[in-house]
Amino acid sequence: MFSYRHAFHAGNHADVLKHTVLIAALQHLVEKDAALTVLDTHAGAGLYRLDGDYANTSAESADGIARLIAPGVPALQPALQAYLDMVRAFNQGAATRVYPGSPFIIQRLLRERDKLKLFELHPTDLRALAGNVAQLEAGRQVAVLHEDGFEGIKKFLPPPARRALVLCDPSYEMKNDYGKVLDMAADSLKRFATGTYAFWYPIIPRPEAHDLPRRLKTLATKAGKSWLHATLTVKSSKITENAAGDVKRPGLPASGMFLINPPFTLKAALKEALPQMTELLAQDRNATHTLESGG
């Protein structure tokens, strides 16, 4: 259950998509005066070293954030530039050694009156998260909770000011995570129908992964809610074998973000950013993106 560690994947192509969407959504939500509550169901450690042992094991950031900061990269679209500026804000000088996870990206964008609830079950990541958050000296604005985020968010919905963003990005190592995401989405909409709900998921050769966005779409449509679905594919998902008989597994080829009640500005921002994201992060000729919305 506790085998997944996001530190191995920090700054990869899935993070570029997830955090670009997250920042664009939050930038719009904090424009309104009323307080905002943000719930992060699977917070992780909060901050990651890109030059540390975990990240270097898989070196996934080399085909993610590193491609955006490489020399000769053309001017970025606004949503991608906002993402890059956010990552750079956690680093000094030209080198990018620190990668902010969702908790630190969110906290950086919040105002004093806003609240952030971080859920994490992994004991090692929980300790790291608590230590990292303590350095923020954010007081009661940020709460670190050793709880299952799927269940833990229930007591915070609806929030006092009736404005909330929920970010849900489990590892999906457990097959039943897909069902838990759907159950959480349905329950949350009943508790707080006007919240903004953002779900990240991997696009892998597994029926549950392909069913998830379709079922979220059905759920949102039945509830009479608007939705937005963005995907980024950077390479083929096929397992290949060379002449020597060595089998190469591709790693994560693609991921998606599905939002219920997305900010109305988000689709236009992603329509500009996704083609450039695809071009810069492509690993083979199968790279592509999709963007659809409804409701």
Side-chain angles (χ1 to χ4, degrees):
M1 181 178 179
F2 290 136
S3 61
Y4 179 86
R5 304 289 303 284
H6 192 70
F8 289 106
H9 313 287
N12 69 357
H13 62 85
D15 267 0
V16 176
L17 173 66
K18 175 172 63 179
H19 292 148
T20 299
V21 172
L22 176 64
I23 292 165
L26 258 178
Q27 284 177 329
H28 176 80
L29 290 171
V30 296
E31 285 179 2
K32 285 190 178 176
D33 284 341
L36 179 72
T37 297
V38 184
L39 308 168
D40 189 342
T41 63
H42 296 75
L47 282 174
Y48 305 95
R49 295 289 306 198
L50 295 181
D51 57 355
D53 291 343
Y54 292 124
N56 281 334
T57 300
S58 52
E60 290 183 23
S61 65
D63 286 320
I65 180 64
R67 293 217 187 168
L68 302 188
I69 58 177
V73 171
L76 297 176
Q77 292 294 336
L80 259 184
Q81 186 63 51
Y83 162 72
L84 185 58
D85 290 345
M86 175 63 75
V87 176
R88 280 186 168 147
F90 286 86
N91 291 272
Q92 294 178 334
T96 304
R97 295 189 178 94
V98 175
Y99 188 85
S102 303
F104 275 68
I105 289 173
I106 295 164
Q107 196 276 334
R108 185 63 65 101
L109 292 169
L110 295 186
R111 304 150 308 176
E112 280 188 29
R113 58 188 171 279
D114 301 324
K115 300 289 186 190
L116 174 57
K117 313 294 184 187
L118 304 171
F119 300 87
E120 182 53 52
L121 272 178
H122 194 294
T124 310
D125 280 353
L126 179 75
R127 283 193 298 275
L129 178 65
N132 288 331
V133 167
Q135 294 178 46
L136 287 172
E137 297 182 351
R140 291 191 294 178
Q141 182 192 48
V142 183
V144 176
L145 302 147
H146 187 201
E147 296 177 35
D148 176 2
F150 287 125
E151 291 294 319
I153 68 164
K154 291 178 179 179
K155 59 179 172 285
F156 296 110
L157 296 175
R162 294 296 194 271
R163 297 186 68 234
L165 167 67
V166 175
L167 173 66
C168 180
D169 62 335
S171 67
Y172 297 94
E173 281 204 321
M174 309 282 283
K175 200 186 288 188
N176 63 356
D177 276 356
Y178 296 93
K180 285 183 177 181
V181 166
L182 289 163
D183 290 343
M184 190 199 88
D187 180 77
S188 297
L189 282 172
K190 286 175 187 168
R191 290 173 188 271
F192 185 50
T194 55
T196 295
Y197 300 95
F199 304 94
W200 175 87
Y201 71 99
I203 299 176
I204 52 177
R206 177 181 262 187
E208 296 88 352
H210 291 275
D211 285 346
L212 183 61
R214 180 180 57 79
R215 295 178 71 180
L216 284 170
K217 200 181 301 181
T218 301
L219 180 69
T221 304
K222 281 184 177 176
K225 300 298 174 185
S226 59
W227 56 269
L228 185 145
H229 182 213
T231 71
L232 173 69
T233 300
V234 298
K235 59 185 173 182
S236 169
S237 62
K238 289 191 172 77
I239 296 171
T240 56
E241 188 175 336
N242 63 18
D246 297 322
V247 174
K248 185 183 178 186
R249 296 183 180 277
L252 182 67
S255 65
M257 283 290 283
F258 193 99
L259 290 91
I260 299 174
N261 294 326
F264 74 91
T265 51
L266 187 58
K267 186 176 183 181
L270 293 180
K271 197 171 183 181
E272 290 181 340
L274 276 170
Q276 188 177 38
M277 200 184 292
T278 306
E279 185 181 339
L280 291 172
L281 302 183
Q283 293 183 35
D284 65 25
R285 57 187 175 81
N286 294 284
T288 187
H289 66 274
T290 65
L291 181 64
E292 54 177 348
S293 61

